[in-house]
Amino acid sequence: MTDALFVLEDGTHARGTSIGAPGTVFGEAVFNTGMTGYQEVLTDPSYRRQIVLMTAAHIGNYGMNAADAESDAIQVSGFVVRSAARRPSSWRAEASLVDALRDEGIVSIEGIDTRRITRHLRDRGAMRAALSTEVLDVDELVAQVLDSPGMEGQELASEVSTRAAYVVPPVGERTRRIALVDHGTKRSIARCLAELGAEVHVLPGSSSADDVLGVEPDGVLLSNGPGDPSTVATGIATTRELLGRVPVFGICLGSQLLGHALGARTHKLTFGHRGINQPVLRRSDGRVEITSHNHGFAVDPTTLGEQLDEHTFDTAHGRVSVSHVNLNDGVCEGLRAHDVPAFSVQYHPEAAPGPLDARHLFADFFDLIDAGSGGTN
Amino acid sequence: MPRRDDLSSVLVLGSGPIQIGQACEFDYSGTQACKVLREEGLRVVLVNSNPATIMTDPDFADATYVEPLTCASVAAIIERERPDALLATLGGQTALNLAIELSEAGVLDRFGVEVLGANLEAIRTAEDRLRFRDAMDEIGLESARSAYVRSEPEAQQAAKEYGFPVVLRPSFTLGGKGGGIAYTAEELTRMIRQGLADSPVHEVLIEESLLGWKEFELEVMRDRADNAVVVCSIENLDPMGVHTGDSITVAPAMTLSDPEYQRMRDASFAVLRRIGVETGGSNVQFAVDPKTGRQIVIEMNPRVSRSSALASKATGFPIAKIAARLAIGYTLDEIANDITRETRAAFEPSIDYVVVKIPRFTFEKFSGTDDTLTTRMKSVGEVMAIGATFTEAFNKAIRSLEEGRFGFGDRESEDIDDGTLEERLVRPTAERVDALDEALRRGWSVDRVHELTGIDPWFLDQLEQLVERRRQVEACGALDAVDDDLLWAAKADGFSDVQLARVLGTDEAAVRARRRASGIEPVFKTVDTCAAEFEAYTPYHYSTYAHEDEVRDSDRRKVLVLGSGPNRIGQGVEFDYCCVHAVLALRDAGYETIMVNCNPETVSTDYDTADRLYFEPLTLEDVLEVCRRERPDGVLVQLGGQTPLKLARDLEEAGVPIWGTSPDAIDAAEDRGRFAALMETLDVAMPPGGMATSVEEARGVADRIGYPVLVRPSYVLGGRAMQIVYDDTALEGYLREAAAANPRQPILIDRFLEGAIELDVDAVFDGTELFVGGVLEHIEEAGVHSGDSACTIPPFTLGRAQQRHVRDVTRGIAAGLGVRGLINVQFAVKDETLWCIEANPRASRTVPFTSKATGTPLAKVAARVMAGSSLADLRAEGMVPGLDMVDGPQTAHIAVKEAVLPFDRFPGVDTLLGPEMRSTGEVMGIDLDFGAAFAKSQVGTGSMVLPTSGTVFVSVANRDKRAIVFPVKRLVDLGFSLVATQGTAEVLQRASIPTAVVGKVSDGETDLIDQIESGAIDLVLNTPFGSRTRGDGYAIRQAAVGNGVPCITTLAGILAAVHGIEALRAGTGTVRTLQEYQSEFRDTVRRAIEMDGA
Ligand SMILES: Nc1ncnc2c1ncn2[C@@H]1O[C@H](COP(=O)(O)OP(=O)(O)O)[C@@H](O)[C@H]1O
Ligand SMILES: Nc1ncnc2c1ncn2[C@@H]1O[C@H](COP(=O)(O)OP(=O)(O)O)[C@@H](O)[C@H]1O
Ligand SMILES: [Mg+2]
Ligand SMILES: [Mg+2]
């Protein structure tokens, strides 16, 4: 009954049933613990070159619909689940998960002991993997995995960034103009900004500071995106130049780019944070927000500069604090600059999928803008 | 924020007796709370009238009051204890209501007691449906439109506005009486008249119907820093209209897309904030329109609930424990997650398996009531199962129910016409799952079944996949034709060996052998709150067919305790109590303890009760798989009631070491033939009887032993379908209706010992010595099931000599059977003869009561004996007293156990007590004299509260007329006035007792019923007239129950009630802690022994 094979570079493997397209794909194996939101995960460009495993038992129950897509295509290179819905059921459903996977050519597998693989990745860390409906011999497929590239040092943002700039109109009357530098942005980031009345100019990730300032933005948002942040040279350079000249808000990869621009380094986490139940402690008032995460790298705050106090460091751009930390593992989840208008979070205030606890950050961004410019234009 | 330092003592309110809608989940939450508060160094004062609970063990609180949960008695306790604060959010609705009463009576202010968790304003807003609706409007959330109406036109008006059908909820009626759903204006006309009449305040809530919508529930926690998390989302398989408590529910929610779920999540937080739950757990229920996704808030409970117990077991996130910590000031981020250790309580569990809960019903015991599942809860218990997928969990849950089905579709197809089947799908009952199987078998499409049932197509598709899988297996024809892939797939779908065997025409053992041969065996995974993102340290496991086992090996001596499964009538929290005690005792004795159970409400399934917890069905297959993995040194089957007892023999045959009484000895007690033979040799009298497979035979037996006789089918346990029969016609009637006797299923006929005193004896036997924990004397005569009758310790009429005789006979039986551990023997004493009714080689329902009344932990003692200790050893350890109550001094206090019956939930059912058990729970009244203790036990039931003045209605059977005179005279002396029916009145008047006469209902006189309904009658004394139960008496008892008037139906009960009323009038009652009663008794015994010694 099994006609598909999933292997990790260390030889761990599992056989299951193909539920997507035929073929062989390679990528970094990662697990996501969200119990809802598989469609948002599949279409999130940050999952580029990753084979995503869902820990939830049943995937595809409510089908797929245009409204929940975070980009115009499924982005993951492979998809691993325990049980895929045979019959979706929801008034919102427009297509079934398995049809979508097949139609978009995504190699996918079901009937896997996903918990076993998850425990393995948790203990050994994210690693290279392959999923195939063609190569069903373990050793052969593992050999191919070992020839495939790892995530570290991979520049993927440019693959998924928009080539041409475009504008997302505000919902209702325009209150601000925001430049969204696209390193693989999720649609809902622009949507959240537009809903607050922003006219959003989505610019290619390759944009220079002048390109960005060219649209005369009230603020600049650095988007999420895939791959190793240290390789996104232009993005980092552009950000460095923008600092102090316009309010900057970074999300996920955008947060890591801000970190680099401030002079810090990023490091790879053992298996990363991918899920929608991550507790983040806001240091300013000790409140905890349950947030949506998708990151394998994080800023190492100790590399920001000389440590001034427990959470504040002296950087080339003045004082910068770690504003948020993950309650589970203490990972740095947010930065706030005190001497230039800039802040960032490593997680996803736009959620999609996940809790809306941190949505207010978009309004906070606008407050930061207003504080500086003393009003809108 | 750290814990508040201004608190030093907290009063915790329990939830009282087990009732429908309020079961042992509150023992679980209350016990957790007590543990936590004491860990935090607070003095815990506990009040709970339910002796069968773990929380009322003296070790769980500093001061334990087993007293009625009434304003008066709790006020007295507060005055005595002066606690700083009151924690009422862990004791169910009972505790919440009591908290409100206490504050309204000014008690809380007077003694400066602060209410923790939800404040009173919050409780009121959540409880009052209209206030709640307004609150929801304020925060922009939709709730069902509704209006209170006081007349038919108003009702029709409302219905026009909302459109039919509409839901009727009469105010302040019991059992949802007069409530229901009206589909047409005509129906509404009829129902509203009834509803208004039934409502004491002539008011009915008319509510927009959401029938057929999807129902969801979120379990939410909030702390005082306003951090809020959702612990678990639950989706009901049954649509709106079937009470959540009666619905099959699934966690996590299966059919909500992320945006819909997040909207619901935010809404639930908004509700908590608006209602004003400052800290703790709450649940919020939603209805969702399957066509538009429109979300409506149904209700919220500002307290932990049955579903939070379910959510805790389903996720591993201990809601009650954390609620208690939040209540004393901590915030979620300060509380560690004990399962992962490194993470905190401020997060939302993610689960990588599926949990299914299925309720268990007992309609067969309540003939005459409507078995439709509606907006009022009717189930008496529930099971939970965990599986890697919905199908696996669902099948495991079905076999956990112990209702003869070993999986979905484990049944013969029925030849009913499609029309009938459609009706069964449209009208939900306890059998709806069978109807679903039948329809899918017939190839009805998922859409058609969805149309008829409103069940979401996703669930139906899953069930259809099970039907298909069964067909594939069936198609193989024989076991050896089933290949490994298919066998694996079937097992992964949760098919049991039994069901596969039936499908393939072979037996369970063969299927198991076949599986093992191909290495098709389950692995055990861990419930860890986080979908494996972090390492888990608590060994809380479930079985599944997958490729990695997570159980950590251990080389300690292991003992496995089998639990009692779902609560049902006849087997409830008492047995969980015994299991937990066994675990605690053996843990202290240095064993590694392993618990197996499938009831989510219980303390035994709390992951920190036993060293290892397996949340599994209690079937041979599932238990054997756990044993295969754990290889326990011993397995205890005596503590979980009949459930594990039934497995004993097969487990032993499979090579599992059973500790304590051997399976053969168990069989000797359970098998009537063998047991009778043993009694013969011990020459212990047993009621003469016989078996019959036909009407003729039955008559024959009856003639031989003489009427009245007690008849019951041989194939049902728990006193089911038992009846007392007075003559041939009645006998034939019984055979026709209740139990068509046939060669395969004979009926048992025993001489019925009329007017006999019934005794229960709970004892432990170690092979040489017998320790009698207690001789319990029943208040009602034999003929009222031991579980339904009140009883006392010490016995109130039995002399020492008789007690010695009882002990000697019990010892003889224990030795004769070869008991090691607990034994319960039921006797009937009639004209100086001691008749043995039955012996149960296991823990009995009364073990917790006996233990609390006497201070000797019988279940712990028994567990140690099963593990090899002798009573002498345990006496040396101080666990067993030097003298039992038969030789030694008796307790200075008297403890009365009273049964709590669910009649208010089942309108139409006759309330007469009989040999068939129908009570759901029990309360204990304890005091220094019988009257006061009895009165407390009645108050504790909530429904039998004795009046201290007013009017008593008396109508008794002829045989009771003489005996009734004196007690009734006493009532008159106490200032009661009397109303009686002609016959009774004449007898009383002859004794010159002033009595008003009312006409017989059967003569068309409604005067009496009117008086009862108008509240003019405060107490009904009515003993049945022979077998004519459906006559006047029936109407009177219905009226009494329907209007909450206490109704006593036995002479003995009447006599006891008079004592009780006297005590209430004299106000002799006192409040003291169990600790005080017990230590006092211990001292008395010690002194007595010293005297002997000296
Ligand atoms: N307006 C309604 N239409 C149809 N069913 C309803 C409606 N309101 C409640 N119900 C059903 O009745 C059950 C009990 O209602 P609920 O308000 O939760 O009362 P309770 O306090 O008994 O839980 C719910 O679980 C739901 O299935
Ligand atoms: N021969 C009898 N005479 C009088 N009462 C009896 C007799 N046998 C049973 N009973 C009554 O029926 C009740 C239930 O009978 P029992 O044999 O104990 O069944 P169960 O297995 O349900 O406990 C007893 O508690 C007792 O009150
Ligand atoms: Mg409810
Ligand atoms: Mg009995």
Side-chain angles (χ1 to χ4, degrees):
Chain A
M1 287 207 289
T2 65
D3 57 4
L5 176 63
F6 174 57
V7 302
L8 298 179
E9 62 179 293
D10 68 0
T12 308
H13 62 278
R15 294 183 189 278
T17 312
S18 167
I19 51 166
T24 304
V25 289
F26 301 90
E28 182 186 44
V30 297
F31 62 87
N32 181 303
T33 62
M35 296 185 287
T36 54
Y38 54 83
Q39 182 180 353
E40 293 86 332
V41 167
L42 286 168
T43 53
D44 176 349
S46 299
Y47 282 105
R48 256 308 163 91
R49 298 274 185 94
Q50 292 181 321
I51 294 177
V52 176
L53 172 150
M54 301 301 288
T55 62
H58 292 275
I59 300 296
N61 304 6
Y62 52 84
M64 307 280 278
N65 64 74
D68 293 351
E70 282 302 316
S71 68
D72 45 29
I74 294 182
Q75 304 284 347
V76 305
S77 45
F79 200 46
V80 179
V81 303
R82 183 175 309 144
S83 174
R86 178 171 84 170
R87 169 181 174 135
S89 168
S90 168
W91 60 284
R92 303 183 71 223
E94 291 157 12
S96 86
L97 168 69
V98 284
D99 292 346
L101 292 169
R102 209 178 301 105
D103 298 349
E104 297 201 37
I106 308 299
V107 182
S108 310
I109 187 171
E110 80 166 339
I112 298 297
D113 181 349
T114 45
R115 182 172 170 88
R116 169 176 148 251
I117 307 292
T118 304
R119 280 163 49 89
H120 189 74
L121 293 174
R122 174 193 78 200
D123 296 339
R124 309 291 163 74
M127 58 181 92
R128 289 174 294 168
L131 188 52
S132 178
T133 62
E134 301 154 336
V135 187
L136 299 181
D137 175 75
V138 177
D139 300 343
E140 190 181 338
L141 195 57
V142 171
Q144 295 185 18
V145 171
L146 292 171
D147 295 340
S148 70
M151 191 51 74
E152 233 145 332
Q154 285 238 19
E155 198 283 302
L156 302 175
S158 56
E159 274 186 29
V160 289
S161 169
T162 178
R163 300 263 165 279
Y166 62 93
V167 174
V168 176
V171 175
E173 175 213 356
R174 186 186 86 178
T175 60
R176 294 173 188 74
R177 183 185 296 121
I178 301 297
L180 168 52
V181 184
D182 175 12
H183 297 289
T185 190
K186 290 165 63 186
R187 276 183 185 157
S188 24
I189 292 179
R191 195 179 301 132
C192 288
L193 292 166
E195 278 167 4
L196 290 175
E199 174 181 277
V200 185
H201 292 250
V202 187
L203 309 176
S206 56
S207 309
S208 68
D210 293 343
D211 300 337
V212 175
L213 296 172
V215 305
E216 296 182 356
D218 299 305
V220 177
L221 195 150
L222 309 173
S223 86
N224 63 295
D228 182 337
S230 62
T231 64
V232 189
T234 345
I236 295 169
T238 302
T239 308
R240 192 179 294 113
E241 281 183 55
L242 291 171
L243 284 175
R245 298 168 68 181
V246 61
V248 173
F249 176 22
I251 292 177
C252 200
L253 179 78
S255 179
Q256 296 157 353
L257 298 184
L258 177 65
H260 279 284
L262 291 166
R265 283 191 300 279
T266 49
H267 61 96
K268 195 165 190 338
L269 302 170
T270 331
F271 54 87
H273 298 166
R274 290 177 192 83
I276 58 180
N277 64 340
Q278 298 276 332
V280 165
L281 182 79
R282 182 168 60 216
R283 294 209 24 271
S284 57
D285 61 0
R287 284 287 299 279
V288 177
E289 285 172 345
I290 305 300
T291 56
S292 178
H293 286 222
N294 172 19
H295 62 109
F297 293 84
V299 172
D300 175 357
T302 61
T303 60
L304 274 164
E306 187 204 336
Q307 185 153 9
L308 301 174
D309 65 40
E310 194 189 346
H311 299 281
T312 314
F313 302 81
D314 187 19
T315 74
H317 299 268
R319 292 163 304 133
V320 174
S321 296
V322 173
S323 55
H324 298 77
V325 292
N326 189 301
L327 204 56
N328 290 342
D329 56 13
V331 166
C332 166
E333 299 287 353
L335 297 173
R336 173 167 287 277
H338 300 285
D339 304 315
V340 292
F343 73 104
S344 68
V345 287
Q346 184 59 70
Y347 50 93
H348 293 270
E350 79 283 6
L356 311 180
D357 295 12
R359 273 274 167 100
H360 60 84
L361 284 170
F362 292 99
D364 296 357
F365 178 37
F366 286 12
D367 294 343
L368 179 71
I369 289 170
D370 301 347
S373 70
T376 67
N377 64 344
Chain B
M1 292 176 237
R3 112 157 164 76
R4 292 172 47 178
D5 51 16
D6 58 338
L7 297 175
S8 63
S9 71
V10 176
L11 174 69
V12 176
L13 295 180
S15 64
I18 303 299
Q19 295 166 357
I20 289 176
Q22 201 162 271
C24 43
E25 62 267 20
F26 297 111
D27 187 25
Y28 164 64
S29 49
T31 302
Q32 280 198 332
C34 292
K35 275 192 202 164
V36 167
L37 296 176
R38 293 187 87 193
E39 269 171 38
E40 293 291 342
L42 290 159
R43 171 177 166 80
V44 174
V45 180
L46 173 72
V47 190
N48 190 355
S49 55
N50 185 345
T53 52
I54 290 294
M55 67 160 87
T56 51
D57 270 356
D59 317 351
F60 284 82
D62 299 279
T64 307
Y65 290 89
V66 181
E67 295 288 333
L69 289 160
T70 61
C71 192
S73 71
V74 175
I77 292 162
I78 289 177
E79 179 158 21
R80 192 166 188 244
E81 295 284 345
R82 300 306 177 95
D84 299 318
L86 173 71
L87 188 55
T89 49
L90 296 156
Q93 203 54 46
T94 304
L96 281 193
N97 297 344
L98 187 49
I100 297 227
E101 272 187 69
L102 286 164
S103 86
E104 281 170 355
V107 176
L108 301 183
D109 292 344
R110 190 162 354 118
F111 299 103
V113 181
E114 173 190 353
V115 178
L116 298 177
N119 64 40
L120 300 157
E121 186 52 24
I123 298 169
R124 288 198 191 89
T125 321
E127 283 310 308
D128 179 324
R129 290 188 184 277
L130 283 192
R131 285 177 68 171
F132 183 72
R133 194 189 61 194
D134 297 340
M136 292 304 99
D137 292 348
E138 259 178 58
I139 54 175
L141 293 176
E142 271 192 87
S143 43
R145 289 170 298 162
S146 62
Y148 278 110
V149 303
R150 317 184 114 267
S151 73
E152 191 199 330
E154 280 176 42
Q156 295 290 3
Q157 184 47 43
K160 242 187 239 76
E161 197 182 321
Y162 312 146
F164 284 97
V166 289
V167 177
L168 284 75
R169 301 185 187 220
S171 306
F172 307 106
T173 62
L174 291 128
K177 191 148 161 287
I181 295 161
Y183 290 84
T184 64
E186 297 64 47
E187 273 183 11
L188 181 58
T189 309
R190 186 168 46 70
M191 293 175 68
I192 193 68
R193 290 211 182 108
Q194 188 58 48
L196 289 170
D198 288 340
S199 168
V201 294
H202 301 289
E203 184 180 75
V204 175
L205 184 75
I206 301 280
E207 194 170 273
E208 165 193 19
S209 161
L210 305 173
L211 287 175
W213 286 32
K214 288 147 70 100
E215 185 165 358
F216 295 85
E217 183 163 335
L218 296 191
E219 295 301 319
V220 190
M221 298 212 80
R222 183 177 181 219
D223 68 20
R224 62 174 173 155
D226 194 32
N227 297 313
V229 297
V230 170
V231 174
C232 188
S233 64
I234 302 174
E235 177 166 355
N236 293 10
L237 182 141
D238 294 287
M240 286 286 288
V242 177
H243 193 285
T244 312
D246 288 351
S247 296
I248 296 173
T249 64
V250 182
M254 286 289 148
T255 64
L256 284 180
S257 62
D258 187 65
E260 294 174 285
Y261 172 68
Q262 299 306 338
R263 188 146 57 90
M264 195 176 275
R265 179 179 178 273
D266 283 356
S268 63
F269 292 164
V271 172
L272 253 69
R273 293 184 172 117
R274 171 59 187 82
I275 299 302
V277 177
E278 287 129 4
T279 75
S282 299
N283 66 358
V284 187
Q285 284 169 258
F286 295 87
V288 174
D289 182 341
K291 294 183 192 61
T292 65
R294 184 175 152 216
Q295 293 183 5
I296 280 189
V297 181
I298 307 167
E299 72 153 0
M300 81 91 75
N301 293 303
R303 53 169 173 88
V304 304
S305 62
R306 158 183 309 250
S307 29
S308 41
L310 184 73
S312 301
K313 305 298 169 75
T315 60
F317 188 107
I319 293 174
K321 205 171 178 175
I322 287 166
R325 284 228 159 79
L326 297 181
I328 56 172
Y330 290 103
T331 50
L332 287 162
D333 55 300
E334 293 171 327
I335 302 169
N337 173 338
D338 346 325
I339 289 193
T340 62
R341 291 187 194 158
E342 62 210 66
T343 66
R344 318 249 105 211
F347 92 117
E348 302 194 336
S350 173
I351 65 183
D352 55 4
Y353 43 83
V354 177
V355 170
V356 173
K357 170 213 97 181
I358 306 184
R360 175 160 167 152
F361 299 88
T362 334
F363 287 110
E364 70 278 2
K365 283 178 172 285
F366 299 95
S367 57
T369 198
D370 174 16
D371 68 349
T372 313
L373 303 186
T374 68
T375 59
R376 272 294 292 230
M377 181 169 165
K378 294 174 179 172
S379 58
V380 294
E382 63 188 18
V383 298
M384 177 182 112
I386 309 176
T389 58
F390 170 78
T391 51
E392 185 177 43
F394 187 67
N395 268 329
K396 284 172 83 176
I398 287 184
R399 64 181 189 259
S400 301
L401 284 169
E402 292 175 59
E403 288 176 328
R405 298 258 188 279
F406 281 75
F408 178 65
D410 181 25
R411 52 184 283 281
E412 299 304 316
S413 323
E414 271 171 294
D415 57 2
I416 48 170
D417 57 66
D418 288 6
T420 318
L421 181 53
E422 286 203 351
E423 284 160 24
R424 286 197 199 167
L425 290 166
V426 171
R427 185 179 75 92
T429 67
E431 280 75 42
R432 64 204 184 292
V433 174
D434 286 346
L436 289 173
D437 174 57
E438 187 63 35
L440 294 169
R441 278 189 194 206
R442 293 183 185 194
W444 292 15
S445 73
V446 161
D447 297 289
R448 179 176 176 188
V449 179
H450 166 67
E451 280 312 309
L452 294 163
T453 59
I455 297 173
D456 189 279
W458 186 84
F459 291 113
L460 295 171
D461 176 63
Q462 293 287 316
L463 299 182
E464 191 176 44
Q465 292 183 37
L466 287 176
V467 171
E468 289 163 11
R469 184 75 69 198
R470 204 189 62 246
R471 280 227 184 80
Q472 289 171 3
V473 175
E474 217 163 18
C476 297
L479 181 57
D480 43 20
V482 182
D483 68 29
D484 285 4
D485 281 350
L486 180 56
L487 188 53
W488 173 275
K491 292 307 287 182
D493 275 339
F495 281 86
S496 63
D497 292 348
V498 174
Q499 185 174 6
L500 291 174
R502 285 180 188 160
V503 169
L504 294 164
T506 171
D507 64 37
E508 179 181 5
V511 175
R512 196 139 47 238
R514 163 77 178 77
R515 275 203 294 117
R516 300 234 193 275
S518 310
I520 300 177
E521 293 173 336
V523 294
F524 293 90
K525 301 231 179 236
T526 310
V527 170
D528 64 4
T529 72
C530 60
E533 184 174 2
F534 303 96
E535 180 159 13
Y537 296 91
T538 38
Y540 171 8
H541 301 297
Y542 64 94
S543 70
T544 183
Y545 283 76
H547 305 285
E548 182 190 45
D549 186 281
E550 299 175 18
V551 176
R552 290 194 179 86
D553 291 308
S554 126
D555 45 20
R556 295 174 54 195
R557 288 207 79 200
K558 295 180 193 169
V559 55
L560 186 150
V561 178
L562 293 177
S564 57
N567 278 8
R568 67 208 84 170
I569 285 174
Q571 191 168 305
V573 63
E574 305 83 2
F575 296 96
D576 198 64
Y577 170 98
C578 294
C579 293
V580 172
H581 267 233
V583 164
L584 298 177
L586 294 172
R587 203 182 209 181
D588 291 348
Y591 292 89
E592 180 164 81
T593 53
I594 304 167
M595 185 73 218
V596 182
N597 198 5
C598 56
N599 180 346
E601 303 165 351
T602 56
V603 176
S604 66
T605 52
D606 181 346
Y607 62 74
D608 56 16
T609 294
D611 296 308
R612 294 167 178 236
L613 168 64
Y614 286 83
F615 211 106
E616 289 291 301
L618 289 158
T619 70
L620 181 63
E621 172 181 355
D622 300 283
V623 173
L624 282 177
E625 294 297 351
V626 173
C627 291
R628 175 183 56 84
R629 183 63 186 83
E630 285 287 0
R631 304 225 160 288
D633 297 280
V635 174
L636 306 191
V637 297
Q638 278 179 26
L639 302 146
Q642 285 302 121
T643 300
L645 216 60
K646 280 183 287 173
L647 298 176
R649 175 157 274 189
D650 291 339
L651 286 172
E652 185 182 50
E653 277 169 11
V656 174
I658 306 291
W659 277 2
T661 310
S662 75
D664 180 66
I666 292 170
D667 182 72
E670 300 258 302
D671 178 288
R672 279 175 68 88
R674 289 183 67 184
F675 187 66
L678 174 65
M679 295 301 101
E680 212 41 84
T681 59
L682 297 171
D683 70 73
V684 174
M686 280 191 83
M691 286 203 195
T693 57
S694 70
V695 179
E696 298 63 43
E697 280 182 37
R699 274 243 211 70
V701 178
D703 293 343
R704 177 161 55 77
I705 62 180
Y707 284 106
V709 296
L710 185 89
V711 289
R712 67 178 116 178
S714 57
Y715 54 92
V716 281
L717 294 151
R720 264 183 56 186
M722 282 175 97
Q723 260 183 42
I724 298 160
V725 166
Y726 289 82
D727 52 41
D728 284 357
T729 38
L731 182 62
E732 282 157 28
Y734 175 82
L735 290 167
R736 235 181 296 104
E737 291 142 31
N742 64 55
R744 270 183 301 99
Q745 302 173 327
I747 67 153
L748 309 176
I749 306 177
D750 293 330
R751 154 97 55 74
F752 176 68
L753 304 167
E754 224 173 357
I757 297 173
E758 184 166 357
L759 307 175
D760 255 90
V761 180
D762 288 316
V764 178
F765 188 64
D766 68 4
T768 46
E769 190 191 343
L770 180 90
F771 176 77
V772 172
V775 175
L776 291 75
E777 180 173 346
H778 292 214
I779 287 174
E780 288 80 5
E781 296 168 348
V784 172
H785 193 280
S786 50
D788 286 358
S789 54
C791 60
T792 73
I793 285 186
F796 62 112
T797 67
L798 225 56
R800 290 263 180 183
Q802 277 172 300
Q803 293 186 40
R804 281 206 189 81
H805 181 46
V806 167
R807 183 181 59 189
D808 297 343
V809 174
T810 307
R811 192 192 175 289
I813 297 175
L817 287 171
V819 167
R820 288 289 178 289
L822 280 160
I823 179 168
N824 160 264
V825 186
Q826 288 167 14
F827 293 105
V829 184
K830 189 172 183 190
D831 21 79
E832 297 306 306
T833 317
L834 186 67
W835 304 80
C836 175
I837 293 174
E838 70 162 357
N840 297 309
R842 55 162 168 85
S844 76
R845 213 172 288 115
T846 43
V847 162
F849 169 73
T850 307
S851 306
K852 298 230 158 115
T854 64
T856 305
L858 280 187
K860 286 184 174 169
V861 172
R864 292 291 303 280
V865 165
M866 286 182 253
S869 304
S870 70
L871 285 164
D873 302 340
L874 300 175
R875 190 169 289 113
E877 281 182 36
M879 206 188 240
V880 178
L883 282 170
D884 65 17
M885 274 211 275
V886 177
D887 295 330
Q890 309 226 327
T891 54
H893 57 268
I894 294 201
V896 177
K897 185 211 90 178
E898 179 58 283
V900 174
L901 293 130
F903 296 129
D904 62 347
R905 291 271 167 170
F906 300 109
V909 172
D910 197 344
T911 65
L912 277 180
L913 299 178
E916 174 159 351
M917 178 171 173
R918 293 186 297 179
S919 58
T920 55
E922 70 199 60
V923 292
M924 168 161 140
I926 182 166
D927 211 314
L928 296 172
D929 66 84
F930 174 78
F934 183 78
K936 284 181 180 178
S937 74
Q938 301 303 295
V939 174
T941 64
S943 54
M944 295 296 291
V945 183
L946 297 169
T948 50
S949 65
T951 305
V952 182
F953 168 75
V954 195
S955 174
V956 296
N958 292 329
R959 63 169 187 292
D960 299 330
K961 290 210 164 95
R962 305 184 60 201
I964 198 77
V965 173
F966 286 100
V968 168
K969 176 135 188 2
R970 186 73 189 114
L971 288 175
V972 173
D973 298 344
L974 290 169
F976 285 85
S977 47
L978 296 180
V979 176
T981 43
Q982 194 61 42
T984 311
E986 280 166 9
V987 176
L988 296 175
Q989 282 155 347
R990 260 182 254 120
S992 60
I993 302 172
T995 310
V997 182
V998 289
K1000 277 195 177 314
V1001 181
S1002 47
D1003 305 342
E1005 302 267 354
T1006 61
D1007 185 30
L1008 172 61
I1009 303 298
D1010 298 343
Q1011 287 192 42
I1012 294 175
E1013 286 178 346
S1014 66
I1017 303 283
D1018 305 281
L1019 176 65
V1020 170
L1021 308 180
N1022 171 244
T1023 63
F1025 298 47
S1027 49
R1028 261 186 59 242
T1029 54
R1030 291 269 152 185
D1032 280 32
Y1034 175 72
I1036 295 165
R1037 293 186 292 268
Q1038 285 303 301
V1041 172
N1043 296 278
V1045 179
C1047 172
I1048 303 173
T1049 61
T1050 65
L1051 187 58
I1054 292 171
L1055 299 174
V1058 174
H1059 281 287
I1061 290 170
E1062 283 176 322
L1064 287 174
R1065 303 260 314 196
T1068 52
T1070 56
V1071 290
R1072 294 167 86 211
T1073 65
L1074 216 48
Q1075 287 85 352
E1076 290 170 288
Y1077 284 121
Q1078 291 185 356
S1079 65
E1080 197 178 292
F1081 180 52
R1082 243 175 265 115
D1083 296 344
T1084 323
V1085 173
R1086 195 179 314 108
R1087 263 183 262 108
I1089 295 172
E1090 284 159 9
M1091 304 264 278
D1092 287 5

